[in-house]
Amino acid sequence: MADEIRNDELLQAIADMRETYKKTHESGSDDHTAINEANTKVINLTLHSNFLVPAVISKNTQLVQDKDNHLKFEDKPQARFMLVKHSQNGTFLPVFTDSEEFEKVPHDAEFQLVNMKFSDVATLTEQTPTINGFVINPMTTNLPYTKEMLAGIKQTLIEARDRKLKEQQAAAAPNITVTSGENK
């Protein structure tokens, strides 16, 4: 399964975005249209990507009581995720575009690669108070998504969804005109 994950289009978009930044900076251009387009492309591709997230999965057997007050043992899987620390920016969850990128990171053999959608990675990041965000391919691409960036993306998606819903409701509403008329 891990070998099936490839994000070549995302990696190319990130490289193009960085090249656009470099050219804009070198030319001293004030035109940020190209930068905005490059950023938007990267974000849109990221939103639709699956990533490989290293974790140690263990089974924790617990004694659980059911609705009829019967006790039974249940295996409840637990995951411990790999984290990377940046000296100034804090702790991040590393995610990988493919298994080759994961192999570039020194790691214990016990880590397994878990296939996660962007939304799952964002939710995990949002719900983990000890991390500042996630980073795509920390050894090469090194593209961070901070919690603040994720909150902004989430807000934009909510606004877009609400706009679309309003447009659909307006399109579905019957076009009725009420006039007062006299019968003659």
Side-chain angles (χ1 to χ4, degrees):
M1 177 175 80
D3 294 334
E4 297 172 17
I5 300 293
R6 301 269 342 151
N7 288 289
D8 297 331
E9 188 177 1
L10 173 60
L11 291 173
Q12 185 59 54
I14 293 169
D16 293 346
M17 176 188 69
R18 288 188 168 147
E19 185 62 27
T20 301
Y21 271 94
K22 182 180 172 187
K23 286 180 182 176
T24 303
H25 180 70
E26 287 173 355
S27 71
S29 171
D30 286 338
D31 178 22
H32 295 288
T33 304
I35 290 174
N36 289 339
E37 288 173 1
N39 287 346
T40 299
K41 183 174 183 177
V42 168
I43 290 169
N44 284 332
L45 288 169
T46 303
L47 287 171
H48 295 95
S49 293
N50 280 27
F51 296 100
L52 297 174
V53 182
V56 176
I57 309 294
S58 60
K59 290 184 179 174
N60 184 9
T61 304
Q62 296 179 352
L63 194 57
V64 179
Q65 189 171 5
D66 66 16
K67 63 182 180 192
D68 297 323
N69 293 327
H70 297 112
L71 293 176
K72 63 180 179 174
F73 287 100
E74 281 186 11
D75 286 335
K76 297 203 175 206
Q78 291 184 327
R80 183 175 48 96
F81 293 94
M82 177 186 282
L83 299 174
V84 293
K85 292 185 183 193
H86 185 272
S87 60
Q88 290 135 358
N89 298 329
T91 304
F92 286 80
L93 176 72
V95 302
F96 299 92
T97 54
D98 54 65
S99 58
E100 292 87 16
E101 287 294 331
F102 171 66
E103 291 304 323
K104 295 175 184 176
V105 175
H107 60 277
D108 295 337
E110 61 185 14
F111 279 105
Q112 300 173 22
L113 294 175
V114 179
N115 180 349
M116 294 178 76
K117 297 183 295 189
F118 168 84
S119 59
D120 296 330
V121 173
T123 299
L124 178 63
T125 301
E126 181 180 61
Q127 294 176 352
T128 308
T130 57
I131 62 175
N132 297 7
F134 71 89
V135 59
I136 298 173
N137 299 337
M139 300 303 282
T140 55
T141 309
N142 197 26
L143 181 66
Y145 278 81
T146 64
K147 283 186 174 180
E148 292 79 17
M149 292 169 67
L150 293 171
I153 291 169
K154 183 178 182 178
Q155 187 60 40
T156 300
L157 291 172
I158 289 169
E159 290 168 4
R161 182 198 65 204
D162 291 348
R163 246 188 336 271
K164 185 176 180 180
L165 183 60
K166 284 180 184 176
E167 290 170 2
Q168 288 173 342
Q169 289 171 342
N175 189 7
I176 299 173
T177 305
V178 177
T179 60
S180 73
E182 295 177 16
N183 289 337
K184 294 186 180 184

